[in-house]
Amino acid sequence: NIVPITSKKPGEMNLIVLLYDISEIRRLEKVRTDFVANASHELRTPVTALKGFAETLLDGAMEDPIILKQFLEIILAESTRLNLLVNDILELSKLEQRQVPLALQEVNISEAVLATFQLVDQKVKEKNMTLELVEKDFVTLHTDPNRLKQILANLINNAVVYTQAGGHITVTVERTAEQVRLHVADNGIGIPEADLGRVFERFYRVDRARSRNSGGTGLGLSIVKYLVENMNGTVTVASKQGKGTTFTVTLPL
Ligand SMILES: Nc1ncnc2c1ncn2[C@@H]1O[C@H](COP(=O)(O)OP(=O)(O)OP(=O)(O)O)[C@@H](O)[C@H]1O
Ligand SMILES: [Mg+2]
């Protein structure tokens, strides 16, 4: 903005020049439009499948009971995926608009970890894996237990999904003078170095086809990052392809 100011001296002109740095606003606008574009793209995949299989059935394929069953199963799987996607997108948007009130209470971290282990119990047994909690320090945190469990559930679930059968997952709880540190470590497929910086991005998946088969939406880690940062913490990742991955969440006490 340039505002001219007339001077008392004839022939002299003063200007006030106002400069605004709007790069952050522009960056956020881009994040938003990218998100809408990505979300629409992700939603289109299951919707196209639903439409295609339903049309094929109506065109006559439903007369064959075997094909009918096969297609209905695909339709069920795709609608489940659609449901997951919509839930995750809504969850993120609720978080961003801060519609989810915090319910703070004293939470024992190890107990929260053990409660989360139960959520993946079935999958862990099927894949013949082992889960271990290493409590280096007894830590309680004044926080929202549901949010903490949401963070843990996403990280532990990833560890289970992206680790081959027979693998091992360790969650370590430790404290320093001012922080609590949670490590979720697996000995699974790992993340290639080139992708490490991007896994917290919305919809980012290292192996799209594979992750889609496992039902992944690519939103889990962006929800984790959002929640952790809202608790004034940080989340980092270290990984070696083929060796395993460790996510570390650091929260202020
Ligand atoms: N423990 C892990 N080991 C290896 N790769 C991982 C691990 N955790 C995450 N990833 C990679 O990071 C990507 C993003 O993870 P994220 O949890 O955000 O999405 P997702 O698991 O694909 O889907 P969902 O939203 O259902 O969790 C995954 O697709 C996977 O490629
Ligand atoms: Mg995930």
Side-chain angles (χ1 to χ4, degrees):
N1 262 326
I2 302 175
V3 186
I5 304 171
T6 41
S7 172
K8 284 191 181 122
K9 285 191 208 152
E12 191 178 293
M13 161 95 118
N14 293 314
L15 294 173
I16 296 180
V17 181
L18 298 170
L19 299 154
Y20 303 93
D21 182 356
I22 57 164
S23 8
E24 185 58 14
I25 295 172
R26 285 286 180 271
R27 192 188 66 80
L28 289 174
E29 279 171 6
K30 183 163 183 335
V31 166
R32 190 153 293 258
T33 47
D34 283 356
F35 179 65
V36 173
N38 284 333
S40 319
H41 179 78
E42 294 292 333
L43 291 169
R44 204 158 53 200
T45 317
V47 169
T48 308
L50 287 176
K51 188 168 170 348
F53 284 104
E55 274 171 2
T56 314
L57 284 179
L58 287 172
D59 278 349
M62 65 189 218
E63 308 301 339
D64 181 337
I66 297 174
I67 292 187
L68 177 64
K69 181 157 185 289
Q70 205 181 346
F71 281 17
L72 284 176
E73 273 162 5
I74 297 174
I75 288 176
L76 180 62
E78 291 296 331
S79 50
T80 307
R81 195 180 148 64
L82 194 58
N83 198 16
L84 273 177
L85 260 171
V86 172
N87 283 347
D88 275 356
I89 292 172
L90 279 178
E91 180 68 28
L92 258 181
S93 116
K94 266 196 279 178
L95 286 172
E96 287 199 323
Q97 295 174 21
R98 297 174 199 261
Q99 278 178 3
V100 197
L102 283 174
L104 298 180
Q105 63 186 72
E106 217 51 46
V107 182
N108 176 338
I109 304 284
S110 297
E111 265 175 28
V113 173
L114 290 176
T116 314
F117 279 177
Q118 286 181 352
L119 298 179
V120 291
D121 196 49
Q122 177 86 15
K123 246 189 264 177
V124 165
K125 283 199 179 116
E126 276 167 20
K127 287 180 82 172
N128 211 3
M129 300 172 77
T130 42
L131 288 178
E132 186 188 359
L133 166 67
V134 178
E135 188 183 43
K136 284 200 180 158
D137 302 289
F138 176 85
V139 194
T140 63
L141 193 66
H142 193 66
T143 190
D144 183 321
N146 288 326
R147 293 196 166 196
L148 182 67
K149 280 183 196 153
Q150 214 175 344
I151 294 168
L152 288 168
N154 270 306
L155 294 178
I156 294 172
N157 192 48
N158 277 349
V160 174
V161 171
Y162 303 109
T163 298
Q164 54 283 55
H168 184 69
I169 295 163
T170 314
V171 181
T172 310
V173 180
E174 60 183 359
R175 68 171 288 173
T176 61
E178 283 156 9
Q179 293 169 327
V180 50
R181 224 170 263 154
L182 288 156
H183 307 277
V184 179
D186 63 58
N187 60 352
I189 60 174
I191 301 169
E193 182 138 18
D195 297 293
L196 267 184
R198 304 197 58 190
V199 290
F200 294 104
E201 286 176 21
R202 290 167 181 190
F203 297 113
Y204 194 80
R205 285 163 299 205
V206 174
D207 183 342
R208 298 209 145 229
R210 180 175 186 154
S211 164
R212 210 170 260 153
N213 287 339
S214 67
T217 64
L219 286 174
L221 287 176
S222 52
I223 292 177
V224 167
K225 188 169 153 73
Y226 196 89
L227 288 170
V228 170
E229 286 180 353
N230 247 282
M231 293 158 96
N232 300 318
T234 54
V235 55
T236 56
V237 58
S239 187
K240 269 236 146 58
Q241 212 177 351
K243 290 261 191 298
T245 307
T246 302
F247 282 91
T248 300
V249 174
T250 307
L251 298 170
L253 278 170

